[in-house]
């Protein structure tokens, strides 16, 4: 039963994450944190952090991480399968259409309408992650909030590798925690 | 693709190992992976010609799911049918599966440690900054299209998702239906 739930949940992630990369984040959050409570918001944010630091698509990373926690190695395999089954079907259909008509224009037009929605969904997930870090709605974590602002400004004004920014944030937070406490 | 007809096991092994290598060592998401796949299978091995490869990458980006997996499906299928597809998809998903399996065991052991928790908390602040920075870039790109419809969709989707907590899947299906309807009408010449 748990395997079926894992499969169906990650199948939805695979089927509806349109637009690559970050588009999967709000979907994984919705399945894993809200629908099934397999992870807390904090654990989910850790997962996004880990996924950002390791190679591989975030959906596959998440399927493995959550699958193992809920159903061991078989859980990981089943969740990952769930993730790629929609791709197998939809990509095959699109490839068939492409080789028949040699044009991907129709799909491009549809994507243009989906993109603004996906962008907003990613932004909303980002704000929820931020409010988890900074403790909005509870006691504000000033160290987290200041680090976020510094990281955000660095991202916007320089071309420093995002992974480096993340690691730097981790180290600074640890040092602040040891010194200030 | 039948021109040279190299031995089947050879081709399958090269599909698997090529994708495995790219997937294990490429950071930075689907678009970066797609570039490496093109380099390997078009420029280096010459199995798929360049313009077709670019079309396949565009296709992979328009389909749902991870771009890396979609590229692997198309390249594997193009090179050696269904078996080729299985080989290249396996090569693509095994590295992240192995790495995340190891990470999740380590995470369970060390996440409760006070110092590890502090590092993770700090990194979460960084991740929030990355995601919000990326979504602002994406939003600016959409707004450059100067379409009232797209701008309205940005606002509406954000309000519905963030304040009204409308299900993500529901919002994407709604956008998909709207996109299909608009593309259809435009084709018929009803709009523009």
């Amino acid at each position: 039963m748990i395997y079926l739930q894992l499969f169906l949940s990650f199948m939805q992630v695979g089927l509806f994450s349109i637009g690559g990369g970050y588009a999967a984040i709000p979907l994984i959050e919705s399945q894993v944190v809200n629908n099934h409570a397999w992870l807390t918001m904090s654990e989910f944010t850790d997962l996004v952090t880990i996924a950002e630091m390791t190679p591989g698509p975030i959906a596959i990373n998440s399927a493995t991480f959550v699958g193992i926690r809920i159903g061991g190695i078989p859980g990981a395999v089943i969740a990952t399968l769930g993730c790629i089954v929609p791709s197998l079907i939809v990509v095959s259909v699109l490839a068939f259409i492409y080789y028949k008509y040699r044009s991907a224009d129709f799909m491009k037009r549809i994507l243009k309408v989906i993109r603004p929605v996906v962008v907003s969904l990613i932004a909303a997930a980002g704000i929820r992650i931020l409010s988890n870090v900074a403790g909005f709605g509870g006691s504000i974590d000033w160290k987290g909030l200041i680090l976020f602002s510094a990281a955000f400004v660095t991202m916007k004004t320089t071309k420093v590798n995002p992974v480096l920014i993340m690691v730097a944030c981790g180290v600074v937070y640890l040092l602040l925690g040891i010194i200030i406490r | 693709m039948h021109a040279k007809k190299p031995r089947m096991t050879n081709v399958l092994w090269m599909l698997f190992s090529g994708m495995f290598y790219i997937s294990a060592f490429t950071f930075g998401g689907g678009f970066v992976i797609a570039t490496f796949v093109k380099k390997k299978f078009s420029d280096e091995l010459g199995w798929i010609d360049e313009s077709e490869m670019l079309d396949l990458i565009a296709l992979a980006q328009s389909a749902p799911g991870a771009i890396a997996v979609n590229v692997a499906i198309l390249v594997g299928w193009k090179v050696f049918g269904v078996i080729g597809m299985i080989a290249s998809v396996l090569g693509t998903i095994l590295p992240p599966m192995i790495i995340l399996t190891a990470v999740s065991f380590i995470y369970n052991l060390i996440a409760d440690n006070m110092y590890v928790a502090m590092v993770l908390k700090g990194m979460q602040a960084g991740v929030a900054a990355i995601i919000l920075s990326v979504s602002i870039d994406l939003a600016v790109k959409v707004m450059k299209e100067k379409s009232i419809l797209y701008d309205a969709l940005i606002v509406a989707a954000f309000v519905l998702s963030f304040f009204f907590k409308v299900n993500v899947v529901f919002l994407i299906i709604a956008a998909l239906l709207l996109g299909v309807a608009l593309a259809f009408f435009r084709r018929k010449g009803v709009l523009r």
Side-chain angles (χ1 to χ4, degrees), chain A residues 109-155:
Chain A
R109 284 204 196 120
I110 298 172
L111 273 181
K112 276 204 161 178
V113 179
I114 300 177
R115 190 145 301 140
V117 173
V118 171
V119 169
S120 286
L121 295 178
I122 299 172
I127 294 174
R128 282 191 296 271
I129 288 176
L130 171 64
S131 69
N132 177 62
V133 175
F136 296 156
S139 60
I140 300 270
D141 177 350
W142 289 104
K143 285 177 291 179
L145 195 55
I146 290 166
L147 264 183
F148 163 80
S149 314
F152 186 81
V153 172
T154 314
M155 277 289 291

Side-chain angles (χ1 to χ4, degrees), chain A residues 34-92:
Chain A
N34 304 336
N35 288 5
H36 294 288
W38 284 328
L39 299 181
T40 64
M41 191 62 196
S42 268
E43 287 168 330
F44 169 72
T45 311
D46 282 342
L47 169 59
V48 177
T49 309
I50 291 166
E52 192 72 15
M53 293 191 63
T54 51
I58 180 164
I60 306 289
N61 288 342
S62 306
T64 306
F65 188 89
V66 175
I68 282 189
R69 294 203 116 198
I70 306 306
I73 303 272
V77 174
I78 285 164
T80 306
L81 267 182
C83 233
I84 61 175
V85 162
S87 282
L88 285 171
I89 297 168
V90 179
V91 169
S92 304

